[in-house]
Amino acid sequence: MSKTLTIGATGRRHIVPSAISRVEESTRRVLRRLFAEAQGYDVEVVVATGLAIGADSLIARVALEERGAGSRVLLRAVLPTPREEYARDFRAEPRRVGEVAERDAYFQLLSRCDEVVELPIVAPKEDGTFSRTAQYSALGDYLVRESDLLVSFWNGDCGVVKPGGTVDVTLRKLRAIEEGQAARVLVVSTPEERRVLKDGKKIVVTENDETAGKLATLTSRPAANVDFTLGATYEELRAFLAAKLG
């Protein structure tokens, strides 16, 4: 088996609870169709994710479920730092009674991955510290470079771009496609609960979840925001696979 289809994932962490099931189901339907189509080309499918809370972990769990149901897929963890250092980015204690702590969930997913890539420290300082933003940006570089299809869990708003964040990675991938890279971006509409400062206190602002789970396929940067009313056609993804793998 010489051909590989790499599906990278970038996405939001604090998904609106009422939207999670719709986002998950859309992801499951898309991956199931992609895996089924890829089998006809005798290709190895790899899902690459950073395993962060939220969207990264969601697509990892769905990929593992589909593998358990018979799909031929490898799960690759791409970590922005060495695994034990990265674990510090996850809460060690459960948020609520009965929940699994983020750190425990991370290690559980990590143990089920077929491959683990630990990215090197980009610019270590003399005192041994480093910039976490730079490391997440390096993870974005990896996803832009290696993904044939980038699945972006995002609400489609291009207004705020943070280095190494979901919007940044998605727009960089689209720029690479515009410059001639044979790839696609699939956006899964994913509303988030944002933490903002108001009157000196952190409050949660919940984005509208009406479009949650809707899809859009992109090959160029949207003029303003992603239009989910047009949706994503499976025929378009099928044609992309045929051109990429046929």
Side-chain angles (χ1 to χ4, degrees):
M1 187 180 296
S2 58
K3 294 181 180 178
T4 301
L5 177 73
T6 301
I7 302 172
T10 185
R12 316 186 82 187
R13 294 187 175 214
H14 305 288
I15 304 173
V16 173
S18 61
I20 291 175
S21 62
R22 282 172 286 165
V23 172
E24 189 174 84
E25 183 54 34
S26 292
T27 305
R28 184 176 291 106
R29 288 199 307 269
V30 168
L31 290 187
R32 189 170 294 166
R33 292 204 180 197
L34 287 170
F35 296 158
E37 289 288 331
Q39 283 184 354
Y41 296 100
D42 194 30
V43 63
E44 181 176 76
V45 180
V46 177
V47 172
T49 166
L51 295 187
I53 63 169
D56 280 10
S57 297
L58 184 151
I59 196 172
R61 291 193 300 270
V62 171
L64 288 169
E65 289 172 8
E66 291 305 305
R67 185 174 70 184
S71 293
R72 200 165 62 189
V73 56
L74 298 179
L75 183 59
R76 176 186 298 159
V78 186
L79 311 183
T81 63
R83 65 190 72 191
E84 295 295 338
E85 176 62 34
Y86 188 36
R88 295 176 59 191
D89 287 359
F90 298 82
R91 288 176 62 95
E93 301 296 330
R95 290 181 180 273
R96 300 175 183 85
V97 175
E99 285 188 349
V100 177
E102 292 172 0
R103 190 172 297 177
D104 291 338
Y106 156 69
F107 279 119
Q108 288 171 11
L109 277 177
L110 190 64
S111 69
R112 300 184 66 190
C113 289
D114 301 285
E115 304 171 355
V116 179
V117 176
E118 297 177 332
L119 297 178
I121 302 302
V122 175
K125 300 177 183 178
E126 292 184 0
D127 62 1
T129 61
F130 57 89
S131 166
R132 271 181 146 65
T133 298
Q135 293 307 123
Y136 278 100
S137 185
L139 172 57
D141 292 341
Y142 181 99
L143 294 171
V144 170
R145 182 178 66 250
E146 299 294 335
S147 299
D148 299 304
L149 174 69
L150 179 69
V151 181
S152 175
F153 296 86
W154 174 37
N155 70 348
D157 185 350
C158 298
V160 179
V161 182
K162 297 180 180 179
T166 301
V167 186
D168 177 44
V169 173
T170 304
L171 296 183
R172 281 199 282 148
K173 184 63 175 180
L174 289 171
R175 186 157 50 247
I177 294 171
E178 290 172 339
E179 293 171 354
Q181 188 180 97
R184 290 289 187 280
V185 170
L186 174 66
V187 183
V188 183
S189 182
T190 307
E192 187 174 48
E193 292 183 332
R194 294 180 292 109
R195 275 66 174 169
V196 300
L197 278 176
K198 184 177 182 181
D199 300 327
K201 297 181 180 179
K202 269 193 175 182
I203 64 170
V204 174
V205 176
T206 301
E207 294 174 349
N208 191 317
D209 71 348
E210 288 182 2
T211 64
K214 290 190 175 181
L215 309 173
T217 52
L218 304 175
T219 56
S220 61
R221 176 173 174 153
N225 298 331
V226 175
D227 185 357
F228 291 101
T229 60
L230 298 178
T233 63
Y234 290 111
E235 289 74 18
E236 182 178 355
L237 291 175
R238 186 179 297 116
F240 164 65
L241 290 180
K244 182 75 178 179
L245 305 172

